[in-house]
């Protein structure tokens, strides 16, 4: 568990499923990430992240004041279908009702700090669709830099899908995370 001023980052609990599924089923929230998820896909994703072990995998982002699940964030090993296969990859999503409150930045700054303290990774990467300006801006606020030489067409999408062109941002260990 990671605590910040306003948030708790912890492994998802069964009671979190409805809030996480609602977030992943929201077509506006998913517009730059991928297709909306069914309940079964949400369950499969939660199981996949749980399989990464106690240290890696995505965590529920819970507001401390009222225990509301406002998002999902974490670290995992980047997939073999990416140019950064095997590296430590971060990611996040905040439910639309909680956008523009600084939760993503607060959660990710704490998570990056945790990653540096608890792994030997020389860098942490982030991947998003080229068109995902909100995530790219967040990556920059976290101190990450775009590495155009690593950009690729993500095989998870059809080559003509507007989400297929993907970008990679990197935060090297010597760079401090912003918070």
């Amino acid at each position: 568990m990671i605590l910040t001023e306003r948030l708790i980052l912890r492994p998802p609990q069964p009671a979190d499923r409805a809030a996480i599924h609602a977030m992943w089923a929201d077509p506006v929230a998913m517009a730059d990430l991928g297709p909306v998820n069914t309940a079964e896909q949400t369950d499969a994703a939660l199981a996949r992240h749980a399989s990464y072990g106690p240290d890696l995998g995505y965590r529920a982002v819970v507001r401390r004041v009222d225990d509301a699940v406002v998002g999902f964030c974490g670290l995992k090993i980047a997939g073999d279908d990416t140019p950064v296969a095997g590296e430590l990859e971060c990611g996040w999503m905040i439910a639309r009702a909680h956008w523009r409150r600084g939760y993503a930045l607060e959660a990710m700054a704490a998570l990056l700090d945790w990653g540096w303290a608890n792994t030997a990774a020389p860098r942490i990467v982030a991947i998003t669709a080229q068109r995902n300006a909100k995530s790219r801006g967040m990556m920059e606020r976290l101190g990450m830099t775009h590495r155009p030489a690593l950009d690729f067409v993500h095989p998870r999408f059809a080559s003509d899908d507007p989400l297929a062109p993907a970008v990679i941002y990197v935060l090297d260990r010597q760079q401090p995370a912003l918070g």
Side-chain angles (χ1 to χ4, degrees), residues 113-154:
D113 287 344
W114 183 94
W116 299 135
N118 292 281
T119 74
R123 66 185 190 176
I124 297 175
V125 302
I127 301 171
T128 196
Q130 183 179 40
R131 77 178 201 180
N132 190 343
K134 290 177 186 171
S135 285
R136 293 179 74 170
M138 172 69 159
M139 292 169 188
E140 291 169 5
R141 283 190 297 284
L142 288 166
M144 303 182 100
T145 57
H146 179 214
R147 300 285 172 90
L150 296 173
D151 293 352
F152 67 110
V153 175
H154 208 300

Side-chain angles (χ1 to χ4, degrees), residues 93-105:
M93 185 175 179
I94 300 296
R96 187 163 39 125
H98 305 287
W99 286 358
R100 301 200 188 301
R101 296 183 186 163
Y103 293 140
L105 184 63

Side-chain angles (χ1 to χ4, degrees), residues 45-65:
L46 290 170
R48 184 176 62 252
H49 286 286
S51 76
Y52 296 139
D55 294 331
L56 296 182
Y58 281 38
R59 300 164 191 242
V61 177
V62 180
R63 199 168 43 206
R64 290 174 76 164
V65 68

Side-chain angles (χ1 to χ4, degrees), residues 17 20-22 24-26 30 35-46:
R17 181 189 175 275
I20 293 169
H21 173 64
W24 287 345
D26 179 346
M30 294 299 292
V36 298
N37 284 355
T38 64
E40 294 77 21
Q41 289 167 319
T42 296
D43 291 341
L46 290 170

